[in-house]
Amino acid sequence: MNKRPLNGADAGADAAALRSAPGSSAVSGSLTVSAPGKVILFGEHAVVYGKRAVAASVGLRTTAVSRADASAVRLVLPDVCLDHSWPLERIRECIAGLVQGASGVEAAAAAAVSGATNAPTASAPESSRPDQAAAKPTKKRRGASGTTVPRRSSRASKPTTPGVDSAPALPHAPASLPAGLVDQLSSLLPDGCSGPAKQSVLAFFTLYALICRGRFGIEVQMESKLPVGAGLGSSASFSVCASATLLLHSGLVQLGDAGAGQTASFSNSQLEVINAWAFLSEKVIHGNPSGIDNSLCTYGGARSYTKTDGMRELKGQAFKAFDFVLTDTNVAKNTKAEVEKVRVRREAHPHIMDPLLNAVQAIADGCIAGCEKHVNGKLSHAELQTQMGILIDMNHAILEAFGVSHPMLEKIRELSAKHGFKSKLTDSDGSRTAAFQASLAAAGCRSFRAQVGCAGVDAIIGE
Ligand SMILES: Nc1ncnc2c1ncn2[C@@H]1O[C@H](COP(=O)(O)OP(=O)(O)O)[C@@H](O)[C@H]1O
Ligand SMILES: C[C@@](O)(CCOP(=O)(O)O)CC(=O)O
């Protein structure tokens, strides 16, 4: 069923891949998409209520390897213990009548074919778009072929030239989930499917139904270096990979001149579309996400974010001056339930909660101002670190007041203090960090040293 390779496609302007639909994927061979996780430094939960948060991407990546399939959709998700195949006919029956006119994808496809530009337009703020003008082809990486999983791309390598920005407007995701869609998709859940796997299957098929519309089968294998459900954005990383994978297979997003085995990045308008669809998937998993997680996992970097203004890049990458130890308490949590806890508390105590939400924004603003002063030479690294420590303490105290802390998190704060660190933030004294990590392990926690502020979603076309 494979029609044409993505490599060498004249992105966007050449809409031949769209003409190949229905009945085929636009990808021949294997496709590998990868996206980072995220860490929110200040403003989690408050960001759901429109407050400013500060966050960065984390170099623990999720990788989705996919290829077209003639007659089925197969999902292999070892992190949530799922390996299941659905006959294409069964999926078509399930989604028949539900997806008609739901997303505007067909109209956009038609516009792309004719070169018209009246399809729904992307709308993220300019500042959320990393400058990709200097992107260059990566070194050719041979050996990623057949159905084997290609090696993860080297994070040190530069991305290839992104897709052409003068392409016709790309199809945007609907602003909200089409009524009844997720309920209808529930009939696809395999017997005995766990809670986490259910969320993943429903989110994946929501995107598949609206983007691919049962036109072709696909096999997707997705795994993450992120711990699932540990607050590092595993669901957003999953959603971004699913979104980019399905948009590429559908031909609605096409890569530029990346050859087989090369890492390719996306153009700004393509990132916007990937992000919008990933947000829809996050809605399935989280109910009421703020959008910060999917935005960080899509664009990468270190950024401030509000629901209304989107992202702003943080000046001077001040966070690069810090070394982070990320800790997984191994205590299961579910973001949807945590967000709901805060909602209930806010409804019961608005006069207490609203000033606290404002205080969280003031903390995030304090972080941004401190970073700017540091970049302008008005605050030394040591002073910035002291200031960040105080902000972290205050932010955490408010999270406790929101009711979203946990005895294990308090234990980590105690351990951090013992080693002279603030929770979430460490300095780069390797021996102290190692001792801290050892004490975290003794307390039953996993910890990670991870790159913060790394690149967002990218893709590699197999051979
Ligand atoms: N690697 C993965 N494979 C499949 N599903 C995943 C993966 N990572 C996350 N998910 C989905 O995201 C859910 C976790 O979301 P959430 O509670 O927000 O955790 P996190 O804080 O890590 O984002 C899981 O229950 C699962 O449905
Ligand atoms: C709690 C919250 O602020 C961040 C959620 O992060 P995570 O899904 O727990 O990684 C919710 C949101 O912003 O949607």
Side-chain angles (χ1 to χ4, degrees), residues 38 62 77-80 195-201 222-238 282 285-286 293 333-336:
K38 70 94 227 290
T62 304
L77 306 175
D79 296 332
V80 293
K198 269 185 198 166
Q199 287 180 299
S200 313
V201 169
M222 211 179 319
E223 264 185 281
S224 191
K225 296 267 188 239
L226 289 161
V228 174
L232 291 177
S234 72
S235 66
S237 193
F238 168 86
E282 280 281 89
I285 297 175
H286 280 180
D293 286 13
K333 74 123 205 128
N334 174 293
T335 306
K336 194 172 188 172

Side-chain angles (χ1 to χ4, degrees), residues 166-437:
S166 59
L170 293 164
H172 230 297
S176 54
L177 286 165
L181 178 58
V182 175
D183 281 348
Q184 188 77 23
L185 292 173
S186 300
S187 70
L188 293 175
L189 291 171
D191 291 340
C193 193
S194 72
K198 269 185 198 166
Q199 287 180 299
S200 313
V201 169
L202 292 174
F204 178 86
F205 274 109
T206 295
L207 298 194
Y208 175 85
L210 295 173
I211 296 171
C212 306
R213 302 183 161 223
R215 284 196 301 252
F216 52 84
I218 186 170
E219 177 180 322
V220 183
Q221 173 161 359
M222 211 179 319
E223 264 185 281
S224 191
K225 296 267 188 239
L226 289 161
V228 174
L232 291 177
S234 72
S235 66
S237 193
F238 168 86
S239 297
V240 170
C241 284
S243 164
T245 296
L246 295 174
L247 285 165
L248 284 165
H249 274 277
S250 70
L252 293 166
V253 164
Q254 299 170 49
L255 294 173
D257 56 3
Q262 290 184 303
T263 302
S265 61
F266 296 92
S267 72
N268 294 327
S269 52
Q270 290 173 330
L271 287 173
E272 240 174 88
V273 173
I274 291 167
N275 192 32
W277 284 103
F279 188 36
L280 198 71
S281 162
E282 280 281 89
K283 285 180 182 162
V284 178
I285 297 175
H286 280 180
N288 181 27
S290 65
I292 189 170
D293 286 13
N294 48 282
S295 298
L296 260 297
C297 296
T298 300
Y299 291 95
R303 293 154 194 276
S304 67
Y305 176 91
T306 65
K307 261 178 158 177
T308 44
D309 295 346
M311 293 190 293
R312 297 263 176 275
E313 193 131 20
L314 289 184
K315 279 203 182 133
Q317 298 280 313
F319 290 134
K320 295 235 157 115
F322 296 107
D323 189 19
F324 292 86
V325 173
L326 304 164
T327 309
D328 177 4
T329 58
N330 280 322
V331 176
K333 74 123 205 128
N334 174 293
T335 306
K336 194 172 188 172
E338 298 296 307
V339 168
E340 178 59 12
K341 268 191 216 168
V342 178
R343 191 195 65 75
V344 168
R345 201 167 274 208
R346 182 169 182 250
E347 209 166 275
H349 306 286
H351 300 307
I352 301 169
M353 289 293 282
D354 286 346
L356 290 177
L357 291 167
N358 289 335
V360 172
Q361 169 147 323
I363 290 169
D365 288 344
C367 163
I368 295 164
C371 288
E372 277 176 12
K373 275 191 190 163
H374 176 58
V375 168
N376 296 333
K378 292 184 181 147
L379 204 63
S380 70
H381 180 263
E383 286 167 332
L384 178 64
Q385 183 155 348
T386 304
Q387 185 173 324
M388 290 292 187
I390 293 166
L391 295 176
I392 281 171
D393 277 346
M394 291 193 292
N395 189 67
H396 185 82
I398 297 174
L399 286 175
E400 239 187 314
F402 286 171
V404 292
S405 189
H406 182 277
M408 200 59 192
L409 289 175
E410 298 308 316
K411 169 97 185 152
I412 290 170
R413 278 167 59 73
E414 198 186 293
L415 284 173
S416 321
K418 230 185 235 174
H419 289 266
F421 298 126
K422 294 293 179 192
S423 291
K424 286 189 184 168
L425 193 71
T426 81
D427 64 23
S428 53
D429 177 341
S431 60
R432 271 203 308 140
T433 305
F436 175 44
Q437 287 188 275

